[in-house]
Amino acid sequence: MNEEKVIIAGFGGQGVMLMGQILSHAATIADLNTTWIPSYGPETRGGTANCAVTIGKERINSPVVSVPDSLVVMNQPSLDKFQKKLKKGGVLIANKSQIPDADYRDDIKVYEVDANKKALEIGNLRVANMVMLGAYIAATGVFSQDEMFAVFEQIFTGKKSELIDLNKQALEAGIQAVGNRVS
Amino acid sequence: MAKVLMKGNEAMALAAIEGGCDAFFGYPITPQNEIPEYLSRHMGEKGRVFVQAESEVAAINMVYGAAGAGARALTSSSSPGIALKQEGISYIAGSELPCVIINVMRGGPGLGGIQPSQADYNQVTKGGGNGDYHLLAFAPENLQETVNIIKESFDLADYYRNPVIIAVDGLLGQMMEPVDLEAAPKTEDAKEKKWAADGNSDREGGRNVITSIHLDPLELEQHNLKLKKKYDEMRAKEQRYEMIETDDADIVFVAYGSMARIARSAVKTLREEGIKVGMIRPVTIWPFPEKAFDELSKSVKTLLTLEMSLGQMHEDVRAANNGRFQLDFYGRTGGVVPEPEEIIDHVKRMLEKEGSS
């Protein structure tokens, strides 16, 4: 695979850090190189949060991602902030549920996912992030569903293992949703 | 062992445990808090010591005491916290005690900010404490290298009976990357420390005393000359660096830590465009790798120092260069992490200027 650089952004509390970590975990299991860097600072639930993940076969130089290949945005401020950075022809996954005023560039591939709605249908708004992650892997082909499932098995241990099924359902819903491309 | 995805701070903490750290003393500060957090959970279960002290000053003096008693002692902090520890660090160096210090650097001066920075270069390499002393100072660029160095640092501290400091910026502390804790050479078991103040007053030669006070100037001078011998040995044996595509380079970057990683991306892009750039990457920042500059070909035109500070290492580059090549500098400060494109743009501006003159 070529190096894949993705920025994932949203409100604090939407689980954007975990989304990035799951991708880096999948890369580690696949014996690929990967870096994950968070925005860190005096940020709280409801503030903005983002992380940048790089995945590749070759050594990763800068972990700082200035021109992402892909972008996953969970809300309007994240779209407004990061869309302009996305490389030409890059993949944008947008959470339609929290982006009322969508104005997309016409030189990128956009996938809109009603992630909050799908998460609520599954039974928990908090897995909206996994819906988005499912859409991301389906749109980019970076990892397979099974590779993601393997990460869930690895990181949701002990009492958290109850969460595996819920997250799998959310991921699958996201994978199915990518048929819904806008441009 | 397979690689494990870990956060930088946690990987450093685990590496310290693997390196045989007996005791940790610290005081919280962002962006290094995951180090004490991790150690607070895992030192006790291994029968080792973890203390959250009441202040940075208390923490470094606890390190002084534990090291004096022969323990492998560690403290970690971030820039202003390291500033508070300078008095104790000077005492530890003066008393010839081994210890390991991790500095996860943030923007300064003063309380500054909490974002990544390399503006502690002077504090780390020139010392903030008083007297003729040096720390063996490492500045790794990725988590695997950081983990390897931290494991080794306990052996080096014991060997030289001198503090070793590992300076990383906040980015390395906060990022995640796969690491293999067994990739580094096995650390040596701590050897018997015959000099330690271990409560044994019956030994041959009487009880051991740990002190940094020598009121007779001639005696203190002899002590300082003894310390100098160690620093000379470090200068001869411990200069570590990496030469990256320097063989045919016209422009050679000098960068360490996260900045070196970002600069690697710039080297790659500029090379693809046919611009011959390379890089000297210091791994030790004290001793400064002067030997690297002697390896450069005479065809080099310019050395470009790149730092997340306003040019602190640049002074050492100037000294090591010793008038050989043209010098230039590019840096960001205050917690701003540059993008590779900024370096690329700077190089292109350099070349335009050269072309027009």
Side-chain angles (χ1 to χ4, degrees):
Chain A
M1 67 183 286
N2 291 326
E3 197 169 82
E4 162 75 4
K5 292 176 283 198
V6 54
I7 289 178
I8 304 170
F11 289 129
Q14 283 185 308
V16 300
M17 298 300 179
L18 181 63
M19 291 163 75
Q21 287 174 3
I22 285 173
L23 291 175
S24 280
H25 272 293
T28 306
I29 293 172
D31 205 23
L32 296 166
N33 288 312
T34 184
T35 56
W36 172 91
I37 61 169
S39 60
Y40 71 92
E43 283 154 350
T44 51
R45 192 170 296 260
T48 59
N50 68 79
C51 65
V53 174
T54 306
I55 296 163
K57 271 204 176 110
E58 308 295 321
R59 157 195 208 116
I60 294 168
N61 295 327
S62 171
V64 178
V65 173
S66 33
V67 185
D69 302 299
S70 310
L71 178 61
V72 181
V73 289
M74 298 294 287
N75 61 11
Q76 184 81 48
S78 300
L79 175 70
D80 299 344
K81 182 173 178 189
F82 289 108
Q83 181 175 210
K84 55 185 176 287
K85 289 183 158 238
L86 187 60
K87 84 163 185 199
K88 209 176 161 184
V91 170
L92 170 68
I93 319 283
N95 179 11
K96 196 178 166 187
S97 318
Q98 300 221 283
I99 301 180
D101 179 24
D103 182 12
Y104 301 119
R105 275 167 51 188
D106 55 13
D107 59 348
I108 55 175
K109 290 178 222 147
V110 179
Y111 298 84
E112 283 191 316
V113 182
D114 213 342
N116 289 29
K117 189 170 159 233
K118 288 194 186 299
L120 285 169
E121 280 165 15
I122 293 161
N124 192 332
L125 177 61
R126 291 179 62 188
V127 293
N129 60 342
M130 293 304 148
V131 175
M132 293 293 284
L133 198 61
Y136 166 74
I137 60 159
T140 58
V142 171
F143 292 114
S144 67
Q145 174 180 299
D146 287 347
E147 285 178 297
M148 290 288 114
F149 284 1
V151 177
F152 293 162
E153 306 278 349
Q154 192 183 65
I155 64 170
F156 296 124
T157 55
K159 204 167 177 300
K160 284 187 187 161
S161 59
E162 294 165 5
L163 301 172
I164 292 175
D165 275 345
L166 183 67
N167 280 285
K168 283 183 175 174
Q169 283 177 44
L171 193 87
E172 281 174 333
I175 292 170
Q176 284 158 16
V178 295
N180 199 9
R181 195 172 136 190
V182 171
S183 62
Chain B
M1 196 178 103
K3 286 186 175 177
V4 190
L5 183 71
M6 289 190 87
K7 196 167 195 181
N9 284 333
E10 294 188 339
M12 287 190 267
L14 178 55
I17 291 174
E18 301 264 313
C21 174
D22 297 311
F24 173 88
F25 309 93
Y27 187 78
I29 183 169
T30 305
Q32 62 85 55
N33 282 325
E34 294 87 352
I35 297 176
E37 184 189 1
Y38 187 94
L39 292 171
S40 70
R41 272 186 270 125
H42 296 287
M43 289 292 270
E45 73 197 24
K46 294 186 182 299
R48 304 186 197 176
V49 173
F50 172 89
V51 178
Q52 180 175 314
E54 70 270 35
S55 70
E56 284 87 352
V57 175
I60 194 66
N61 282 297
M62 289 176 189
V63 168
Y64 185 16
R72 284 188 152 178
L74 169 72
T75 190
S76 67
S77 192
S78 177
S79 310
I82 296 289
L84 286 163
K85 289 177 183 181
Q86 292 300 335
E87 180 197 44
I89 293 170
S90 168
Y91 277 57
I92 293 167
S95 302
E96 290 195 81
L97 295 177
C99 73
V100 176
I101 302 156
I102 299 172
N103 180 6
V104 184
M105 298 184 281
R106 56 188 250 182
L111 265 185
I114 60 173
Q115 298 300 324
S117 168
Q118 297 180 325
D120 290 5
Y121 183 90
N122 285 345
Q123 173 171 259
V124 167
T125 61
K126 321 288 180 196
N130 58 302
D132 277 325
Y133 78 96
H134 289 286
L135 308 182
L136 180 53
F138 289 93
E141 67 163 347
N142 60 42
L143 294 191
Q144 187 66 54
E145 187 175 49
T146 306
V147 158
N148 295 356
I149 285 170
I150 287 177
K151 281 177 75 176
E152 188 191 0
S153 63
F154 288 93
D155 292 342
L156 288 166
D158 280 353
Y159 175 78
Y160 288 109
R161 285 181 61 185
N162 199 73
V164 176
I165 188 163
I166 294 97
V168 297
D169 55 77
L171 189 61
L172 272 161
Q174 293 296 320
M175 72 182 286
M176 293 178 94
E177 200 167 21
V179 288
D180 181 353
L181 263 299
E182 286 171 10
K186 192 189 173 317
T187 51
E188 297 163 25
D189 289 330
K191 296 190 176 61
E192 192 197 352
K193 295 175 176 173
K194 296 203 169 93
W195 46 262
D198 54 3
N200 179 6
S201 56
D202 300 331
R203 74 160 63 74
E204 213 177 312
R207 68 195 180 113
N208 288 331
V209 177
I210 304 289
T211 183
S212 66
I213 191 169
H214 305 272
L215 289 173
D216 176 354
L218 290 174
E219 183 192 308
L220 181 53
E221 185 178 50
Q222 286 310 308
H223 176 64
N224 280 323
L225 289 170
K226 184 182 164 207
L227 296 183
K228 182 178 180 293
K229 265 192 189 157
K230 294 199 296 193
Y231 302 135
D232 287 344
E233 186 182 345
M234 288 182 204
R235 280 196 181 96
K237 282 170 43 181
E238 307 296 348
Q239 288 187 32
R240 298 189 199 178
Y241 54 93
E242 187 182 356
M243 309 290 284
I244 298 152
E245 304 204 44
T246 49
D247 284 351
D248 63 342
D250 295 326
I251 298 169
V252 173
F253 300 163
V254 187
Y256 67 94
S258 289
M259 193 64 176
R261 277 187 91 146
I262 295 161
R264 277 179 192 274
S265 290
V267 169
K268 190 163 175 256
T269 306
L270 287 165
R271 283 263 168 193
E272 281 164 6
E273 294 178 24
I275 300 168
K276 289 179 183 167
V277 293
M279 176 158 65
I280 293 173
R281 181 176 74 88
V283 177
T284 52
I285 47 175
W286 202 96
F288 189 70
E290 292 166 353
K291 291 175 186 173
F293 296 78
D294 298 335
E295 288 183 31
L296 290 174
S297 132
K298 285 199 175 64
S299 62
V300 170
K301 292 193 180 75
T302 308
L303 302 182
L304 172 61
T305 310
L306 301 167
E307 290 181 77
M308 275 145 62
S309 83
L310 288 180
Q312 299 187 16
M313 178 176 71
H314 194 48
E315 293 173 15
D316 283 342
V317 172
R318 188 182 301 280
N321 180 50
N322 201 13
R324 279 177 278 194
F325 310 110
Q326 289 182 60
L327 298 179
D328 200 347
F329 172 80
Y330 181 80
R332 297 298 300 268
T333 185
V336 179
V337 180
E339 295 178 346
E341 286 72 15
E342 294 176 46
I343 301 169
I344 294 165
D345 290 347
H346 184 87
V347 167
K348 290 185 175 167
R349 280 197 302 273
M350 280 168 69
L351 292 171
E352 272 169 30
K353 246 190 248 168
E354 223 170 74
S356 65
S357 65

